[in-house]
Amino acid sequence: MNFYLTEEQQLIRDTARRIAREVVAPRAPELDDTGIYPEDIFQVYKETGLLGLGFPEELGGSGAGIFGLALAIEEIAKVDNACALILLLTRLSTSAILKAGTEEQKRKYCAGTARGELRGAFGLTEPGAGSDSANIATRAVRKGNEYILTGTKCYISGASVADFFLVAAKTDPGAGSRGFSVFIVDRDTPGFRVGREDRKMGVHGVPTCELIFEEARVPAHNLVGRENEGFKLIMWNLNSVRPCVAARGVGTAEGAIQYAVDYARQRQTFGQPLIEHQAIQMMIAEVAMHIEASRLLTYQAALLVDEGKADREHAHFLSMAKAFATETAVEACDKALQIMGGLGYMHESLTERFYRDARQLTIVEGTSQVQRLIIARAVKDNLLNWY
Ligand SMILES: Cc1cc2nc3c(=O)[nH]c(=O)nc-3n(C[C@H](O)[C@H](O)[C@H](O)COP(=O)(O)OP(=O)(O)OC[C@H]3O[C@@H](n4cnc5c(N)ncnc54)[C@H](O)[C@@H]3O)c2cc1C
């Protein structure tokens, strides 16, 4: 695969890098301390076109695809993970609509997101079903021109600022994953409300909240794709965004280890800079190898998605990128903190925030264990043909 960036891709990377350094980095510690969503940074993304990277030109985007979006996410994650998540949410809440939505749904929700006029969130997880997502209990019953939704979703990123929600519900509860449908729920839907906000370990700049459906009345034209065929669609949605989660991992790892390397150059112990000690060099080399491998897996995954290969036949490559890059982020933050010594553990150092933020990545959008289940299934099914 060819990973030489085109001029357009270099421009995306350079623009995102500039925004990361000049706009996001100075605000990041405050976002972490206050947990207030950064409206100002969202506006900068809007003005510079970063919100439209993952959308085709006819829907108000720039047509840079998941590859272009992943490049931007990697740059922003080098300085702040929550602000990288804001970019990721543009596709987490819309990929299913792009794939199976009506023209009207695409024009309203995809184009609205690309232009920064609307914000979406993704509602799959429930108190009783996370990894086992086929087991959700939220129910949707058709009544005339509406579906009546009842249930609760939890840990939904960006819910407090979202205008619409891509939501999975059961339309045929007895049919397992075959009784599953996907809906767009507008924020002002009667019977729907955003519930309590979580207190969490990191990624404070993007709040996570409950979604509460108490006989919420969703217009039937907000069904995405076909009734009872939503499970594959929601998996497609998750698969197609895996390169973006992976890119958050790559950027976080790069940002954390670079910070520790800069420190190790100037910190003296036993008469020489920390970076001259072999034990420190081994840690840095280990992380450097894993970052480069992560980036290759991530770019490969992004290219596959942009070629329309986010299906079961290719899901394992997307899972490898997600699991490897996010685990590398945790490893890099852990090693960076260790290299910094006591200072690394203190709130005044970047590594303390980076470590807390990185721990989110191996859980969200399919845990590391779930990614391994997908990879193992592909091996069992002979999809990885090594001979
Ligand atoms: C900060 C944050 C933001 C989030 N944002 C969103 C969002 O925007 N939208 C959304 O829908 N969800 C969101 N989530 C939810 C997230 O996707 C789930 O937490 C995740 O899928 C895991 O589900 P669970 O928490 O129920 O864990 P469980 O499914 O209960 O799993 C618990 C542990 O058991 C392991 N496990 C489970 N089953 C198996 C198995 N068969 N084999 C081996 N190990 C297994 C898991 O890997 C995990 O380690 C968010 C979560 C967090 C923490």
Side-chain angles (χ1 to χ4, degrees), residues 273-289:
L274 208 49
I275 201 161
E276 297 304 331
H277 297 297
Q278 260 193 7
I280 299 291
Q281 291 176 3
M282 295 301 109
M283 283 198 269
I284 294 169
E286 192 80 6
V287 170
M289 283 192 294

Side-chain angles (χ1 to χ4, degrees), residues 92 122-125 129-132 154-157 200 208 360 363-367 369-370 373:
L92 186 63
F122 173 79
L124 175 62
T125 307
S131 306
D132 186 10
C154 60
Y155 315 144
I156 307 307
S157 298
K200 55 189 159 75
T208 64
Q360 188 231 32
I363 295 169
V364 290
E365 293 166 56
T367 62
Q369 288 71 35
V370 166
L373 292 178

Side-chain angles (χ1 to χ4, degrees), residues 10 79 95 97 115 121 130 143 156 161 190 218 238 268 335 344:
Q10 287 176 35
V79 302
S95 285
I97 307 173
R115 295 196 197 101
K143 271 199 184 153
I156 307 307
V161 294
V218 177
L238 284 169
Q268 300 275 329
K335 296 248 165 69

